């Protein structure tokens, strides 16, 4: 059962009209999926075509890789919450525009305020820049950034976007590195659980 305010946000942003260009080709808003009481938030870039059709984030090729990485460290999609920097698909999967990221800022801030995650995993450059204000995923990945968000400390962990691995012909070295980063994420989560700061997963 989704917490009242998260379902209110889902309802509110279902009909968002802030980005006129995204609106032109929009199939539907992809608000997010998972456990609405989760203390771990995964943040991607923007929905692709499969996601826009199904209304579910990371349900296409990148999503398969993400699910595999999660299960490799004993996590399931159902115990975390997954959303994106943009809720609407940019046509032909182009990069999000700065203005679109800004238009979607209030929504993500509100999701974070409601969920109060202890850990945010930023997937790829756009999500990482949105949360940390830093660029350069290759040097930022696999590190933990304790960050104050809405007055609370959140452990932010940037990871390589699965699309990067796919564009690189499923390079096994990239996958091995991503797996190590997910092992580190699992350790960060375990440490938080031990502090009893994570209510529900
Ligand atoms: N890539 C993303 O960044 N998000 C999705 O939901 C799917 C692919």
């Amino acid at each position: 059962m989704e917490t009242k305010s998260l379902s209110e946000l889902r309802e509110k942003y279902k009909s968002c009209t802030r980005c006129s260009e995204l609106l032109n080709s929009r199939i539907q808003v992809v608000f997010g999926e998972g456990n609405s009481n989760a203390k771990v938030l995964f943040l991607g870039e923007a929905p692709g075509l499969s996601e826009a059709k199904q209304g579910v984030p990371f349900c296409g090729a990148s999503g398969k890789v993400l699910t595999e990485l999660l299960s490799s460290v004993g996590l399931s999609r159902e115990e975390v919450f997954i959303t994106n920097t943009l809720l609407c698909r940019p046509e032909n999967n182009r990069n999000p525009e700065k203005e679109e990221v800004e238009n979607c800022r209030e929504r993500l801030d509100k999701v974070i305020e409601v969920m109060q995650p202890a850990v945010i995993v930023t997937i790829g450059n756009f999500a990482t820049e949105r949360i940390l204000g830093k660029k350069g995923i290759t040097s930022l990945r696999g590190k933990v950034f304790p960050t104050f968000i809405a007055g609370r400390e959140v452990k932010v962990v940037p990871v390589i976007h699965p699309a990067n691995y796919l564009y690189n012909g499923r390079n096994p070295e990239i996958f091995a590195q991503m797996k190590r980063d997910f092992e580190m994420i699992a350790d960060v989560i375990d440490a938080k659980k031990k502090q009893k700061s994570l209510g529900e997963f």
Side-chain angles (χ1 to χ4, degrees):
M1 173 75 176
E2 197 156 77
T3 55
K4 180 119 192 296
S5 29
L6 200 64
S7 56
E8 277 168 4
L9 290 179
R10 186 186 288 278
E11 195 54 33
K12 172 173 175 185
Y13 288 100
K14 199 163 87 179
S15 49
C16 179
T17 56
R18 284 185 192 184
C19 301
S20 50
E21 202 187 316
L22 301 184
L23 200 53
N24 281 337
S25 60
R26 184 162 82 194
I27 301 173
Q28 63 182 310
V29 169
V30 183
F31 182 78
E33 185 205 53
N35 180 347
S36 54
N37 294 311
K39 294 295 168 201
V40 184
L41 181 67
F42 279 75
L43 182 67
E45 182 177 311
L49 185 58
S50 311
E51 287 77 19
K53 282 184 177 162
Q54 293 185 46
V56 174
F58 282 99
C59 65
S62 287
K64 271 199 187 137
V65 178
L66 177 64
T67 307
E68 190 180 337
L69 287 163
L70 285 169
S71 68
S72 76
V73 295
L75 287 169
S76 69
R77 291 173 66 107
E78 292 72 35
E79 53 192 339
V80 301
F81 194 79
I82 306 174
T83 186
N84 279 303
T85 304
L86 298 189
L87 291 191
C88 301
R89 176 181 181 237
E91 219 172 356
N92 301 318
N93 301 339
R94 65 157 170 77
N95 286 341
E97 295 288 346
K98 270 204 169 71
E99 192 188 342
E100 291 161 353
V101 175
E102 287 315 303
N103 289 343
C104 226
R105 178 172 290 277
E106 177 199 82
R107 178 275 316 176
L108 182 57
D109 285 347
K110 283 188 177 161
V111 167
I112 293 172
E113 195 183 311
V114 165
M115 295 192 71
Q116 305 208 333
V119 180
I120 300 181
V121 179
T122 56
I123 307 171
N125 264 315
F126 285 90
T128 302
E129 193 180 352
R130 166 64 179 85
I131 296 295
L132 289 180
K134 292 180 203 280
K135 287 187 196 217
I137 190 66
T138 26
S139 57
L140 298 170
R141 56 140 280 275
K143 295 180 185 148
V144 183
F145 294 85
T147 307
F148 274 86
I149 302 179
R152 295 172 52 257
E153 196 202 74
V154 182
K155 305 275 191 211
V156 178
V157 189
V159 296
I160 299 283
H161 198 293
N164 188 311
Y165 159 68
L166 296 174
Y167 291 146
N168 280 287
R170 297 181 183 260
N171 180 331
E173 278 172 30
I174 299 182
F175 192 73
Q177 189 182 55
M178 291 170 92
K179 249 177 124 166
R180 284 197 297 277
D181 292 350
F182 272 68
E183 279 158 17
M184 211 224 15
I185 292 165
D187 289 345
V188 172
I189 292 171
D190 280 348
K192 279 281 175 190
K193 271 184 179 167
K194 283 196 186 113
Q195 287 172 6
K196 291 201 189 316
S197 60
L198 293 186
E200 190 178 339
F201 260 71

